PDB file of all heavy atoms in Angstrom:
ATOM      1  N   ILE A 244     -20.159   5.020   0.459  1.00 94.00           N
ATOM      2  CA  ILE A 244     -18.759   5.075   0.034  1.00 94.00           C
ATOM      3  C   ILE A 244     -17.969   5.930   1.012  1.00 94.00           C
ATOM      4  O   ILE A 244     -18.351   7.074   1.307  1.00 94.00           O
ATOM      5  CB  ILE A 244     -18.622   5.646  -1.388  1.00 94.00           C
ATOM      6  CG1 ILE A 244     -19.566   4.918  -2.357  1.00 94.00           C
ATOM      7  CG2 ILE A 244     -17.185   5.549  -1.850  1.00 94.00           C
ATOM      8  CD1 ILE A 244     -19.265   3.465  -2.531  1.00 94.00           C
ATOM      9  N   PHE A 245     -16.863   5.355   1.537  1.00 95.00           N
ATOM     10  CA  PHE A 245     -15.894   6.089   2.343  1.00 95.00           C
ATOM     11  C   PHE A 245     -14.595   6.196   1.562  1.00 95.00           C
ATOM     12  O   PHE A 245     -14.154   5.223   0.926  1.00 95.00           O
ATOM     13  CB  PHE A 245     -15.616   5.364   3.670  1.00 95.00           C
ATOM     14  CG  PHE A 245     -16.534   5.761   4.791  1.00 95.00           C
ATOM     15  CD1 PHE A 245     -17.776   5.164   4.924  1.00 95.00           C
ATOM     16  CD2 PHE A 245     -16.162   6.718   5.712  1.00 95.00           C
ATOM     17  CE1 PHE A 245     -18.626   5.511   5.952  1.00 95.00           C
ATOM     18  CE2 PHE A 245     -16.991   7.080   6.738  1.00 95.00           C
ATOM     19  CZ  PHE A 245     -18.241   6.484   6.868  1.00 95.00           C
ATOM     20  N   VAL A 246     -13.960   7.377   1.594  1.00 95.00           N
ATOM     21  CA  VAL A 246     -12.658   7.591   0.976  1.00 95.00           C
ATOM     22  C   VAL A 246     -11.812   8.414   1.930  1.00 95.00           C
ATOM     23  O   VAL A 246     -12.293   8.938   2.942  1.00 95.00           O
ATOM     24  CB  VAL A 246     -12.772   8.302  -0.396  1.00 95.00           C
ATOM     25  CG1 VAL A 246     -13.509   7.451  -1.411  1.00 95.00           C
ATOM     26  CG2 VAL A 246     -13.448   9.663  -0.239  1.00 95.00           C
ATOM     27  N   GLU A 247     -10.540   8.547   1.603  1.00 94.00           N
ATOM     28  CA  GLU A 247      -9.645   9.392   2.395  1.00 94.00           C
ATOM     29  C   GLU A 247      -9.992  10.867   2.170  1.00 94.00           C
ATOM     30  O   GLU A 247     -10.562  11.234   1.138  1.00 94.00           O
ATOM     31  CB  GLU A 247      -8.203   9.121   2.005  1.00 94.00           C
ATOM     32  CG  GLU A 247      -7.742   7.702   2.251  1.00 94.00           C
ATOM     33  CD  GLU A 247      -6.344   7.461   1.743  1.00 94.00           C
ATOM     34  OE1 GLU A 247      -5.385   7.808   2.452  1.00 94.00           O
ATOM     35  OE2 GLU A 247      -6.202   6.944   0.626  1.00 94.00           O
ATOM     36  N   PRO A 248      -9.636  11.728   3.123  1.00 93.00           N
ATOM     37  CA  PRO A 248      -9.901  13.169   2.927  1.00 93.00           C
ATOM     38  C   PRO A 248      -9.276  13.716   1.651  1.00 93.00           C
ATOM     39  O   PRO A 248      -9.879  14.564   0.974  1.00 93.00           O
ATOM     40  CB  PRO A 248      -9.287  13.806   4.179  1.00 93.00           C
ATOM     41  CG  PRO A 248      -9.337  12.732   5.216  1.00 93.00           C
ATOM     42  CD  PRO A 248      -9.116  11.450   4.470  1.00 93.00           C
ATOM     43  N   ARG A 249      -8.092  13.255   1.303  1.00 93.00           N
ATOM     44  CA  ARG A 249      -7.456  13.714   0.067  1.00 93.00           C
ATOM     45  C   ARG A 249      -8.273  13.333  -1.154  1.00 93.00           C
ATOM     46  O   ARG A 249      -8.463  14.142  -2.081  1.00 93.00           O
ATOM     47  CB  ARG A 249      -6.049  13.113  -0.023  1.00 93.00           C
ATOM     48  CG  ARG A 249      -5.382  13.275  -1.367  1.00 93.00           C
ATOM     49  CD  ARG A 249      -4.054  12.533  -1.405  1.00 93.00           C
ATOM     50  NE  ARG A 249      -4.213  11.114  -1.112  1.00 93.00           N
ATOM     51  CZ  ARG A 249      -4.549  10.207  -2.022  1.00 93.00           C
ATOM     52  NH1 ARG A 249      -4.780  10.560  -3.289  1.00 93.00           N
ATOM     53  NH2 ARG A 249      -4.659   8.921  -1.690  1.00 93.00           N
ATOM     54  N   VAL A 250      -8.783  12.103  -1.171  1.00 94.00           N
ATOM     55  CA  VAL A 250      -9.560  11.639  -2.321  1.00 94.00           C
ATOM     56  C   VAL A 250     -10.896  12.364  -2.409  1.00 94.00           C
ATOM     57  O   VAL A 250     -11.383  12.675  -3.509  1.00 94.00           O
ATOM     58  CB  VAL A 250      -9.766  10.115  -2.226  1.00 94.00           C
ATOM     59  CG1 VAL A 250     -10.594   9.602  -3.395  1.00 94.00           C
ATOM     60  CG2 VAL A 250      -8.419   9.397  -2.194  1.00 94.00           C
ATOM     61  N   LYS A 251     -11.505  12.672  -1.267  1.00 93.00           N
ATOM     62  CA  LYS A 251     -12.777  13.404  -1.313  1.00 93.00           C
ATOM     63  C   LYS A 251     -12.594  14.793  -1.899  1.00 93.00           C
ATOM     64  O   LYS A 251     -13.441  15.275  -2.670  1.00 93.00           O
ATOM     65  CB  LYS A 251     -13.375  13.500   0.089  1.00 93.00           C
ATOM     66  CG  LYS A 251     -14.739  14.162   0.090  1.00 93.00           C
ATOM     67  CD  LYS A 251     -15.397  14.163   1.455  1.00 93.00           C
ATOM     68  CE  LYS A 251     -16.767  14.814   1.375  1.00 93.00           C
ATOM     69  NZ  LYS A 251     -17.469  14.834   2.686  1.00 93.00           N
ATOM     70  N   SER A 252     -11.487  15.443  -1.572  1.00 93.00           N
ATOM     71  CA  SER A 252     -11.217  16.760  -2.164  1.00 93.00           C
ATOM     72  C   SER A 252     -11.062  16.643  -3.677  1.00 93.00           C
ATOM     73  O   SER A 252     -11.560  17.503  -4.435  1.00 93.00           O
ATOM     74  CB  SER A 252      -9.944  17.358  -1.552  1.00 93.00           C
ATOM     75  OG  SER A 252     -10.088  17.518  -0.159  1.00 93.00           O
ATOM     76  N   GLU A 253     -10.395  15.579  -4.144  1.00 92.00           N
ATOM     77  CA  GLU A 253     -10.254  15.391  -5.586  1.00 92.00           C
ATOM     78  C   GLU A 253     -11.604  15.122  -6.240  1.00 92.00           C
ATOM     79  O   GLU A 253     -11.878  15.618  -7.346  1.00 92.00           O
ATOM     80  CB  GLU A 253      -9.296  14.229  -5.845  1.00 92.00           C
ATOM     81  CG  GLU A 253      -7.865  14.481  -5.380  1.00 92.00           C
ATOM     82  CD  GLU A 253      -6.993  13.257  -5.546  1.00 92.00           C
ATOM     83  OE1 GLU A 253      -7.538  12.197  -5.931  1.00 92.00           O
ATOM     84  OE2 GLU A 253      -5.774  13.342  -5.295  1.00 92.00           O
ATOM     85  N   LEU A 254     -12.460  14.342  -5.579  1.00 93.00           N
ATOM     86  CA  LEU A 254     -13.782  14.052  -6.147  1.00 93.00           C
ATOM     87  C   LEU A 254     -14.633  15.311  -6.236  1.00 93.00           C
ATOM     88  O   LEU A 254     -15.309  15.553  -7.245  1.00 93.00           O
ATOM     89  CB  LEU A 254     -14.481  12.996  -5.297  1.00 93.00           C
ATOM     90  CG  LEU A 254     -13.911  11.569  -5.359  1.00 93.00           C
ATOM     91  CD1 LEU A 254     -14.569  10.703  -4.299  1.00 93.00           C
ATOM     92  CD2 LEU A 254     -14.111  10.966  -6.733  1.00 93.00           C
ATOM     93  N   LEU A 255     -14.620  16.122  -5.180  1.00 93.00           N
ATOM     94  CA  LEU A 255     -15.430  17.349  -5.193  1.00 93.00           C
ATOM     95  C   LEU A 255     -14.882  18.359  -6.192  1.00 93.00           C
ATOM     96  O   LEU A 255     -15.641  19.155  -6.763  1.00 93.00           O
ATOM     97  CB  LEU A 255     -15.479  17.950  -3.791  1.00 93.00           C
ATOM     98  CG  LEU A 255     -16.233  17.128  -2.742  1.00 93.00           C
ATOM     99  CD1 LEU A 255     -16.177  17.812  -1.385  1.00 93.00           C
ATOM    100  CD2 LEU A 255     -17.680  16.899  -3.169  1.00 93.00           C
ATOM    101  N   THR A 256     -13.555  18.334  -6.401  1.00 91.00           N
ATOM    102  CA  THR A 256     -12.980  19.213  -7.420  1.00 91.00           C
ATOM    103  C   THR A 256     -13.422  18.780  -8.817  1.00 91.00           C
ATOM    104  O   THR A 256     -13.650  19.615  -9.700  1.00 91.00           O
ATOM    105  CB  THR A 256     -11.445  19.195  -7.324  1.00 91.00           C
ATOM    106  OG1 THR A 256     -11.043  19.579  -6.010  1.00 91.00           O
ATOM    107  CG2 THR A 256     -10.829  20.149  -8.339  1.00 91.00           C
ATOM    108  N   GLU A 257     -13.588  17.479  -9.005  1.00 90.00           N
ATOM    109  CA  GLU A 257     -14.033  16.971 -10.293  1.00 90.00           C
ATOM    110  C   GLU A 257     -15.492  17.331 -10.565  1.00 90.00           C
ATOM    111  O   GLU A 257     -15.836  17.802 -11.645  1.00 90.00           O
ATOM    112  CB  GLU A 257     -13.850  15.453 -10.338  1.00 90.00           C
ATOM    113  CG  GLU A 257     -14.331  14.779 -11.606  1.00 90.00           C
ATOM    114  CD  GLU A 257     -13.452  15.114 -12.791  1.00 90.00           C
ATOM    115  OE1 GLU A 257     -12.313  15.600 -12.589  1.00 90.00           O
ATOM    116  OE2 GLU A 257     -13.903  14.894 -13.932  1.00 90.00           O
ATOM    117  N   SER A 258     -16.383  17.101  -9.572  1.00 90.00           N
ATOM    118  CA  SER A 258     -17.802  17.381  -9.755  1.00 90.00           C
ATOM    119  C   SER A 258     -18.492  17.409  -8.396  1.00 90.00           C
ATOM    120  O   SER A 258     -18.109  16.679  -7.461  1.00 90.00           O
ATOM    121  CB  SER A 258     -18.448  16.312 -10.649  1.00 90.00           C
ATOM    122  OG  SER A 258     -19.841  16.496 -10.728  1.00 90.00           O
ATOM    123  N   SER A 259     -19.529  18.232  -8.300  1.00 91.00           N
ATOM    124  CA  SER A 259     -20.332  18.276  -7.068  1.00 91.00           C
ATOM    125  C   SER A 259     -21.234  17.057  -6.936  1.00 91.00           C
ATOM    126  O   SER A 259     -21.907  16.897  -5.915  1.00 91.00           O
ATOM    127  CB  SER A 259     -21.173  19.551  -7.043  1.00 91.00           C
ATOM    128  OG  SER A 259     -22.051  19.590  -8.171  1.00 91.00           O
ATOM    129  N   TYR A 260     -21.255  16.184  -7.936  1.00 92.00           N
ATOM    130  CA  TYR A 260     -22.068  14.968  -7.876  1.00 92.00           C
ATOM    131  C   TYR A 260     -21.619  14.063  -6.737  1.00 92.00           C
ATOM    132  O   TYR A 260     -22.422  13.318  -6.167  1.00 92.00           O
ATOM    133  CB  TYR A 260     -21.953  14.228  -9.213  1.00 92.00           C
ATOM    134  CG  TYR A 260     -22.474  12.809  -9.196  1.00 92.00           C
ATOM    135  CD1 TYR A 260     -23.841  12.542  -9.281  1.00 92.00           C
ATOM    136  CD2 TYR A 260     -21.593  11.731  -9.075  1.00 92.00           C
ATOM    137  CE1 TYR A 260     -24.314  11.237  -9.262  1.00 92.00           C
ATOM    138  CE2 TYR A 260     -22.056  10.427  -9.050  1.00 92.00           C
ATOM    139  CZ  TYR A 260     -23.418  10.188  -9.144  1.00 92.00           C
ATOM    140  OH  TYR A 260     -23.878   8.901  -9.105  1.00 92.00           O
ATOM    141  N   TYR A 261     -20.343  14.164  -6.365  1.00 92.00           N
ATOM    142  CA  TYR A 261     -19.780  13.259  -5.363  1.00 92.00           C
ATOM    143  C   TYR A 261     -19.961  13.771  -3.937  1.00 92.00           C
ATOM    144  O   TYR A 261     -19.173  13.424  -3.049  1.00 92.00           O
ATOM    145  CB  TYR A 261     -18.291  13.042  -5.646  1.00 92.00           C
ATOM    146  CG  TYR A 261     -18.014  12.404  -6.982  1.00 92.00           C
ATOM    147  CD1 TYR A 261     -17.579  13.165  -8.058  1.00 92.00           C
ATOM    148  CD2 TYR A 261     -18.189  11.042  -7.164  1.00 92.00           C
ATOM    149  CE1 TYR A 261     -17.322  12.580  -9.286  1.00 92.00           C
ATOM    150  CE2 TYR A 261     -17.932  10.444  -8.397  1.00 92.00           C
ATOM    151  CZ  TYR A 261     -17.502  11.226  -9.452  1.00 92.00           C
ATOM    152  OH  TYR A 261     -17.243  10.640 -10.675  1.00 92.00           O
ATOM    153  N   ASN A 262     -20.981  14.555  -3.694  1.00 93.00           N
ATOM    154  CA  ASN A 262     -21.226  15.040  -2.336  1.00 93.00           C
ATOM    155  C   ASN A 262     -21.619  13.917  -1.374  1.00 93.00           C
ATOM    156  O   ASN A 262     -21.502  14.074  -0.158  1.00 93.00           O
ATOM    157  CB  ASN A 262     -22.322  16.114  -2.340  1.00 93.00           C
ATOM    158  CG  ASN A 262     -21.826  17.447  -2.863  1.00 93.00           C
ATOM    159  OD1 ASN A 262     -20.674  17.819  -2.621  1.00 93.00           O
ATOM    160  ND2 ASN A 262     -22.683  18.166  -3.592  1.00 93.00           N
ATOM    161  N   PHE A 263     -22.106  12.806  -1.902  1.00 93.00           N
ATOM    162  CA  PHE A 263     -22.542  11.708  -1.038  1.00 93.00           C
ATOM    163  C   PHE A 263     -21.365  10.944  -0.426  1.00 93.00           C
ATOM    164  O   PHE A 263     -21.542  10.154   0.498  1.00 93.00           O
ATOM    165  CB  PHE A 263     -23.410  10.723  -1.843  1.00 93.00           C
ATOM    166  CG  PHE A 263     -22.703  10.103  -3.007  1.00 93.00           C
ATOM    167  CD1 PHE A 263     -21.950   8.947  -2.859  1.00 93.00           C
ATOM    168  CD2 PHE A 263     -22.791  10.677  -4.279  1.00 93.00           C
ATOM    169  CE1 PHE A 263     -21.304   8.378  -3.932  1.00 93.00           C
ATOM    170  CE2 PHE A 263     -22.144  10.104  -5.357  1.00 93.00           C
ATOM    171  CZ  PHE A 263     -21.400   8.953  -5.192  1.00 93.00           C
ATOM    172  N   VAL A 264     -20.160  11.154  -0.947  1.00 94.00           N
ATOM    173  CA  VAL A 264     -18.997  10.425  -0.454  1.00 94.00           C
ATOM    174  C   VAL A 264     -18.669  10.882   0.974  1.00 94.00           C
ATOM    175  O   VAL A 264     -18.701  12.072   1.281  1.00 94.00           O
ATOM    176  CB  VAL A 264     -17.798  10.634  -1.389  1.00 94.00           C
ATOM    177  CG1 VAL A 264     -16.548   9.988  -0.816  1.00 94.00           C
ATOM    178  CG2 VAL A 264     -18.087  10.067  -2.761  1.00 94.00           C
ATOM    179  N   GLN A 265     -18.353   9.926   1.844  1.00 93.00           N
ATOM    180  CA  GLN A 265     -18.044  10.211   3.246  1.00 93.00           C
ATOM    181  C   GLN A 265     -16.555  10.029   3.498  1.00 93.00           C
ATOM    182  O   GLN A 265     -15.859   9.323   2.770  1.00 93.00           O
ATOM    183  CB  GLN A 265     -18.830   9.275   4.164  1.00 93.00           C
ATOM    184  CG  GLN A 265     -20.335   9.299   3.959  1.00 93.00           C
ATOM    185  CD  GLN A 265     -21.049   8.349   4.884  1.00 93.00           C
ATOM    186  OE1 GLN A 265     -20.837   8.350   6.090  1.00 93.00           O
ATOM    187  NE2 GLN A 265     -21.910   7.500   4.317  1.00 93.00           N
ATOM    188  N   THR A 266     -16.071  10.671   4.560  1.00 93.00           N
ATOM    189  CA  THR A 266     -14.670  10.562   4.960  1.00 93.00           C
ATOM    190  C   THR A 266     -14.591  10.749   6.472  1.00 93.00           C
ATOM    191  O   THR A 266     -15.613  10.772   7.164  1.00 93.00           O
ATOM    192  CB  THR A 266     -13.803  11.587   4.225  1.00 93.00           C
ATOM    193  OG1 THR A 266     -12.423  11.349   4.540  1.00 93.00           O
ATOM    194  CG2 THR A 266     -14.174  13.004   4.596  1.00 93.00           C
ATOM    195  N   TRP A 267     -13.389  10.894   7.003  1.00 93.00           N
ATOM    196  CA  TRP A 267     -13.194  11.090   8.443  1.00 93.00           C
ATOM    197  C   TRP A 267     -12.405  12.379   8.666  1.00 93.00           C
ATOM    198  O   TRP A 267     -11.782  12.933   7.767  1.00 93.00           O
ATOM    199  CB  TRP A 267     -12.457   9.897   9.047  1.00 93.00           C
ATOM    200  CG  TRP A 267     -11.173   9.561   8.371  1.00 93.00           C
ATOM    201  CD1 TRP A 267      -9.936  10.063   8.614  1.00 93.00           C
ATOM    202  CD2 TRP A 267     -11.010   8.634   7.286  1.00 93.00           C
ATOM    203  NE1 TRP A 267      -9.019   9.526   7.768  1.00 93.00           N
ATOM    204  CE2 TRP A 267      -9.632   8.638   6.961  1.00 93.00           C
ATOM    205  CE3 TRP A 267     -11.870   7.795   6.582  1.00 93.00           C
ATOM    206  CZ2 TRP A 267      -9.118   7.839   5.938  1.00 93.00           C
ATOM    207  CZ3 TRP A 267     -11.349   7.007   5.580  1.00 93.00           C
ATOM    208  CH2 TRP A 267      -9.999   7.028   5.268  1.00 93.00           C
ATOM    209  N   LEU A 268     -12.465  12.841   9.915  1.00 89.00           N
ATOM    210  CA  LEU A 268     -11.859  14.120  10.252  1.00 89.00           C
ATOM    211  C   LEU A 268     -10.507  13.978  10.928  1.00 89.00           C
ATOM    212  O   LEU A 268      -9.588  14.738  10.656  1.00 89.00           O
ATOM    213  CB  LEU A 268     -12.797  14.929  11.156  1.00 89.00           C
ATOM    214  CG  LEU A 268     -14.162  15.280  10.546  1.00 89.00           C
ATOM    215  CD1 LEU A 268     -15.020  16.006  11.566  1.00 89.00           C
ATOM    216  CD2 LEU A 268     -13.997  16.121   9.278  1.00 89.00           C
ATOM    217  N   ASP A 269     -10.363  13.023  11.849  1.00 87.00           N
ATOM    218  CA  ASP A 269      -9.118  12.883  12.601  1.00 87.00           C
ATOM    219  C   ASP A 269      -8.841  11.411  12.860  1.00 87.00           C
ATOM    220  O   ASP A 269      -9.559  10.521  12.386  1.00 87.00           O
ATOM    221  CB  ASP A 269      -9.204  13.661  13.922  1.00 87.00           C
ATOM    222  CG  ASP A 269     -10.477  13.335  14.706  1.00 87.00           C
ATOM    223  OD1 ASP A 269     -11.075  12.267  14.457  1.00 87.00           O
ATOM    224  OD2 ASP A 269     -10.880  14.145  15.551  1.00 87.00           O
ATOM    225  N   ASP A 270      -7.786  11.164  13.630  1.00 84.00           N
ATOM    226  CA  ASP A 270      -7.371   9.789  13.910  1.00 84.00           C
ATOM    227  C   ASP A 270      -8.370   9.051  14.793  1.00 84.00           C
ATOM    228  O   ASP A 270      -8.431   7.814  14.753  1.00 84.00           O
ATOM    229  CB  ASP A 270      -5.998   9.786  14.582  1.00 84.00           C
ATOM    230  CG  ASP A 270      -4.907  10.316  13.657  1.00 84.00           C
ATOM    231  OD1 ASP A 270      -5.116  10.262  12.426  1.00 84.00           O
ATOM    232  OD2 ASP A 270      -3.868  10.780  14.156  1.00 84.00           O
TER     233      ASP A 270
END
Side-chain angles (χ1 to χ4, degrees):
I244 309 296
F245 271 84
V246 296
E247 298 175 82
R249 168 186 58 84
V250 179
K251 184 175 181 180
S252 300
E253 295 175 355
L254 290 171
L255 293 178
T256 303
E257 177 70 16
S258 174
S259 60
Y260 167 79
Y261 298 102
N262 285 324
F263 60 87
V264 175
Q265 304 180 51
T266 186
W267 54 87
L268 299 177
D269 50 21
D270 295 337

